[in-house]
Amino acid sequence: MLFDHDSAQNVRERAALKLPRPSEFIGPDDEPPPPITARTAGFGITPAEIAKWEGNTEELEAYDGFDGIARALKIDPQKGIDATPVDIKARRDAFGPNTYPLKKRTPFYMYVWEALQDETLMILILCAIVSLAVGLTTEKPSEGWYDGGGICFAIVVCVMVASLSDYNQANQFQKLSAEKRKIYINVTRGGHRTKVSIFELVVGDMVHLAIGDQIPADGLVYVGHSLIVDESSMTGESDPLPKDEEEKPFLMSGTKVLDGFGTMLVTAVGMRTEWGRVMATLSEDNDEETPLQVRLNNLATIIGKVGLSVAVVCFIVCVIRFLCQTNLKHFSSEDGRQIVEYFAVAVTIVVVAVPEGLPLAVTLTLAYSMKKMMSDRALVRHLSACETMGSATAICSDKTGTLTMNMMTVIRSWVCGKLREPTDLENISEGVRKVWQLWFDLSVFTSFWQLLFEAICLNTNASVEMHEGAPPEITGTPTEVAVLGWGIKLGGNFDRVKKSATVTEVDAFNSTKKRMAVIAKTEDGKAWIHWKGASEVVLAQCSNFMDEQGNVSPLTPEKLQELQEIIDTFANAALRTLCLACKEFPQNEFLARPPKKHSTIGPPIPEDGLTCIAIVGIKDPCRPGVPEAVHKCQIAGIKVRMVTGDNITTAKAIAVECGILTNGTAIEGKDFRNMSPDEQYEILPAIQVMARSSPTDKHTMVKRLLEMGEIVAVTGDGTNDAPALHEASIGLSMGITGTEVAKESSDIIIMDDDFASIVKVVRWGRAVYANIQKFVQFQCTVNAVALMLNFISALSEGAAPLTAVQLLWVNLIMDTLGALALATEPPNDAVMYRPPISKEAPLINNIMWRNIMGQGMYQLALLLVLKFKGIEILNLKDDPNAPPPPPRSAHAKPEGAAHEKLVCIIFNAFVFCQVFNEMNARNPEKINVFKGFTSNRLFMGVILFTAIVQALLVEYGGTIVSTIHLEWNHWILCVILGAISLPLAALVKLIPIPDRPFGEYLIFWRRKKHRKQKLLTRSGRSIKGIMFNRPPSATTGAPPAPKKFYDTAGIDAQGVPAGPPRRLSDLARRPSAERRKESLTGALSAPTVTTASTTEGGVLTKVLGSPPEPGAATEQAPLRRNSQAWAEEAPTS
């Protein structure tokens, strides 16, 4: 039996919760059971009663405060809920789930309806209806529906393809939105601490809160240590509010913890909270337009206007020529049908000319990139970040967890006046006592070990769970886990130490203070103050130290220097250092402290006169692959800077190991903070490491870099990183160690906290822009050829060579299918050997103009030759036995089978030209366009689908598509004419191009000094500015362009001597092989560290490519500001 409804365990659980037995459930003809309420489930309080006292302390006291609520909810605050499935279900049924209703998905027919709202399609539908009406009334019904029916079929295909694409993208965005809502939080259930999704929380859960957490439900504070909460999202109150378990115990769902930590009891969830009701009224907005989409929409508008002009001219010319040849006195319905056909062709030209595939291509490539980035462990929160990341010129990265593995272990320590080296613990067989003897002399330290364990086990917000026959399970930050693990290896018993002392006050750790403290009362009645934090910060508070005999001795300048040298020794070995210090708190001062033990307002914990008892060195190894990833960024022209709160010596050691610190400067946050803005501009191009930085220092650095014209990506994981993440061009938060505040302020969440994943995001960001450029090149070529072919044919013959149905098929090829093929190209290694894409770079660059003109001239010349001389060249003849096809109008010249075959050959050759040109568009720069061809199955599928459908249309389309059967030699001819595009493209790519943008050579776009006003669009932008992405002029009210800065001389981003000053364009013209060779040379050069003092007394550290001459003085060379990271230069000695 797989499930026994009447098992003893189920019977006991149901009896305890007063639930009915399975046999008591309703049958087919029974009445429905009454709904399960909090009372029927055995709880002593209902949701309605909870709602009454929420926010009201007096009402809460009527229920006997927190203890009374806990009893009513049947929970033990120390152990949490029972966590059995029956208990969780009963709580969810009685108090509701912690969810809110989401908006229903938009049905597919709505996407079809939206696609039909396109104005040109509506006009085309009208043309199809008129064509059907005229055809069915003037011809046999079996033949009269061909033209109108063909247009209708083509419209249905276009609408369905576009609707399916939009529908699939919407589903993809919804899946990503669901991924963004996955938040896990620590709770205590059944006496064990575990992580659960916020949607699985139930009333009665004991939730552990830390800095940066989003409060997942309404509740009461059980324990709060310096707990500060931001309730601005719910109350509008901008000032953070302190919370404690006595005066202000109420916590609201959706608010955020800014400081401190604590534990809360969940009292209301889901739609019974104000946050749930607000979220139910909101829907996920997936309609944001990215900057690239805006640029493409402007370009599409301009191309559409050109196409509309061509269509109007074609229609007018065709109608005038037709009316001149028609006897208006005998105007027949057939003549009216001919005018309708001209109008349909004109409308179809507009449909073909309007590149609606451009926005579709952006949507496809962004959605595809987001999906692939998710598999690369990067969750995109804002679409614009995908493309902005491709333009990044600087990355300011954290160290811990991003560049390192965040797996910390204490490997060296200074304890009680002696340096303790690590010992191989695998050979120990006598247990913990033997381990202790290896580290200490018990005859000396019998009175010291308890004090050390108190410093380790009391001054922490981590927890330890002991399991019989298994290693202890430590939960907390990596630093806390490392220190606690060290203490346990030395023989400490976490639970025993916790029970032997009572913590009365806590000063929680944050990145600004870089330390934390507790006041604890021990079993002997004494009170102790324990401090722990950054070594130099805590050591500065010490007046004494404990020597090797266990005595407290004064901390003399000589001893202080010795300890500082030990800290430097640890730091030079790339170890993070922590200092543990304590002092006995006099009884009179301890008793005089405020009685509220967890108050956030009161006198600070004393921090002077401490005794240093231990300094530990924690190893956090560099992540595998980080040096290679950093090197790739440097080759790509991206300056990587490490911003960390660690000691400057530790930071330099890690930076050298990661390949970040090459020929630049390491600086401390306080020195950078004390500089003027001009001095910060001067030093920033050379800075590669900022140590002991505060969140304000990080924000200032990002702000200054943005002012210098950089595109800055910033990583962050803490609450205090939110301003820098918000200020940066792209904010990258950490998915594992990142707080919810940091994630909400970021654009992309790095799910595995790995720097290598950031490099993958850069690759995809550059691929987005590259794919759009590929599609724009392909689209513009097809548009230009189709428009010019129809325009010339209309002027010369008064008729378009391609019918409406044929043009709609071409439109489907170049819009939807072209977007599918080119917008989903995966990134290749070549994108990381190019400089970052400037925000002012033209969307259509000179390379694209060269390719468009080369392919466009070939296709147009080919089709015009076929149009006017095709019958003679191909030796096409009419079949004398076949009746001639009916003329298009009464005055039109009769057209034989040779002409019909020529029209079919032109249509077939034109389509195959686009098929092969689509292959050329895969790589606008390289001659070999087939590299990686088989890796993109979607591209291969689109090419194969296009060729197969084209063959079916030609062979079986008949009158509907205006095609006839072609012999095999004509098929080979069409394929060869299309395939000539491949060698032609290779030859065109050999043509050199100028550095000056092509648009500036056009007289229409030249800026003339005597011209006072420019031709503006409705948006206030010049056409030239839209086409080539120039910034708005001063007349539009836009701010001026940022000031650019350049270095005088030095080295480039890879550490290669730069020689005289060079601009970005000079560097960008260097061959890729040369840049790679120089980058490799710079990466392999051995750095040497020298030091120079600033006027503020701080220390700046430079890593120069070669050691200075013996006895030579080290000087700080003057720097100038630089706006481009590609040519980053630093002073040389």
Side-chain angles (χ1 to χ4, degrees), residues 1053-1072:
Q1054 289 77 42
V1056 181
R1062 293 175 294 179
R1063 289 182 176 269
L1064 175 64
S1065 57
D1066 299 328
L1067 291 171
R1069 286 196 294 269
R1070 290 188 297 162
S1072 298

Side-chain angles (χ1 to χ4, degrees), residues 778 782 802 806-807 809-811 813 859 862-863 904-918 943 946-951 953-954 971 974-975 978 981:
F778 173 70
V782 183
L802 301 178
Q806 292 173 348
L807 285 175
W809 168 237
V810 172
N811 181 67
I813 293 175
Q859 293 183 19
L862 169 67
L863 297 177
C904 184
I905 291 175
I906 292 175
F907 169 58
N908 204 27
F910 181 60
V911 170
F912 275 99
C913 282
Q914 310 320 316
V915 170
F916 287 98
N917 189 37
E918 200 167 3
I943 295 294
T946 304
I948 292 175
V949 173
Q950 177 66 17
L953 289 177
V954 170
W971 270 106
C974 293
V975 174
S981 300

Side-chain angles (χ1 to χ4, degrees), residues 13 17 19 43 73-75 80-93 202-203:
E13 290 175 346
L17 296 175
L19 296 176
F43 297 104
L73 294 176
K74 298 166 56 178
I75 61 116
I81 63 175
D82 292 340
T84 60
V86 174
D87 183 32
I88 292 176
K89 184 179 185 304
R91 293 176 185 275
R92 188 173 286 119
D93 292 340
V202 293
V203 171

Side-chain angles (χ1 to χ4, degrees), residues 264-539:
M264 67 171 283
L265 167 64
V266 175
T267 58
V269 294
M271 293 302 292
R272 298 190 184 277
T273 67
E274 186 64 28
W275 177 257
R277 290 188 286 270
V278 170
M279 292 302 294
T281 62
L282 303 178
S283 61
E284 192 74 22
D285 185 12
N286 296 325
D287 298 328
E288 64 167 310
E289 275 198 339
T290 69
L292 189 56
Q293 283 177 318
V294 173
R295 294 175 63 183
L296 288 174
N297 286 336
N298 292 333
L299 179 60
T301 301
I302 293 175
I303 296 176
K305 289 179 180 179
V306 174
L308 178 63
S309 303
V310 172
V312 171
V313 171
C314 288
F315 177 71
I316 293 175
V317 170
C318 291
V319 170
I320 291 175
R321 289 176 62 95
F322 175 74
L323 294 178
C324 291
Q325 300 175 3
T326 303
N327 186 355
L328 299 180
K329 294 181 180 180
H330 300 87
F331 194 84
S332 64
S333 59
E334 183 66 27
D335 296 326
R337 180 184 175 188
Q338 185 64 38
I339 294 178
V340 171
E341 183 178 342
Y342 289 149
F343 183 70
V345 171
V347 174
T348 308
I349 291 175
V350 176
V351 173
V352 174
V354 175
E356 63 268 18
L358 288 178
L360 174 63
V362 178
T363 304
L364 282 173
T365 190
L366 288 176
Y368 179 75
S369 300
M370 288 174 66
K371 180 180 179 180
K372 291 298 183 180
M373 277 194 259
M374 188 64 205
S375 57
D376 284 339
R377 309 305 298 153
L379 174 61
V380 178
R381 299 186 68 253
H382 301 130
L383 280 177
S384 58
C386 287
E387 60 189 60
T388 307
M389 200 65 192
S391 303
T393 59
I395 297 177
C396 298
S397 175
D398 285 341
K399 178 185 75 70
T400 304
T402 306
L403 299 172
T404 60
M405 297 182 65
N406 208 18
M407 298 172 60
M408 301 188 184
T409 308
V410 175
I411 65 171
R412 301 190 69 182
S413 65
W414 176 93
V415 181
C416 293
K418 188 176 180 180
L419 191 62
R420 316 286 172 172
E421 296 295 339
T423 305
D424 184 9
L425 300 180
E426 295 179 358
N427 299 325
I428 302 304
S429 59
E430 298 182 13
V432 175
R433 181 176 177 83
K434 182 65 176 177
V435 177
W436 175 257
Q437 289 177 343
L438 287 173
W439 283 74
F440 301 104
D441 183 359
L442 287 180
S443 62
V444 175
F445 295 100
T446 51
S447 61
F448 166 73
W449 71 274
Q450 182 67 24
L451 184 62
L452 177 63
F453 289 155
E454 287 175 0
I456 294 173
C457 300
L458 297 180
N459 191 11
T460 180
N461 59 356
S463 63
V464 178
E465 288 191 12
M466 306 298 295
H467 302 282
E468 188 174 352
E473 182 180 341
I474 307 175
T475 305
T477 64
T479 305
E480 297 277 20
V481 170
V483 176
L484 272 176
W486 175 62
I488 292 173
K489 287 180 182 178
L490 296 181
N493 188 307
F494 182 81
D495 291 335
R496 187 184 304 162
V497 174
K498 278 283 190 181
K499 293 176 181 178
S500 67
T502 303
V503 175
T504 60
E505 285 190 43
V506 175
D507 188 351
F509 178 88
N510 62 42
S511 57
T512 302
K513 297 181 296 186
K514 302 187 185 304
R515 54 185 176 168
M516 63 186 299
V518 295
I519 299 177
K521 186 176 181 181
T522 58
E523 292 178 331
D524 57 6
K526 294 182 179 180
W528 288 86
I529 298 174
H530 292 281
W531 280 93
K532 177 178 68 177
S535 296
E536 61 269 30
V537 176
V538 177
L539 189 60

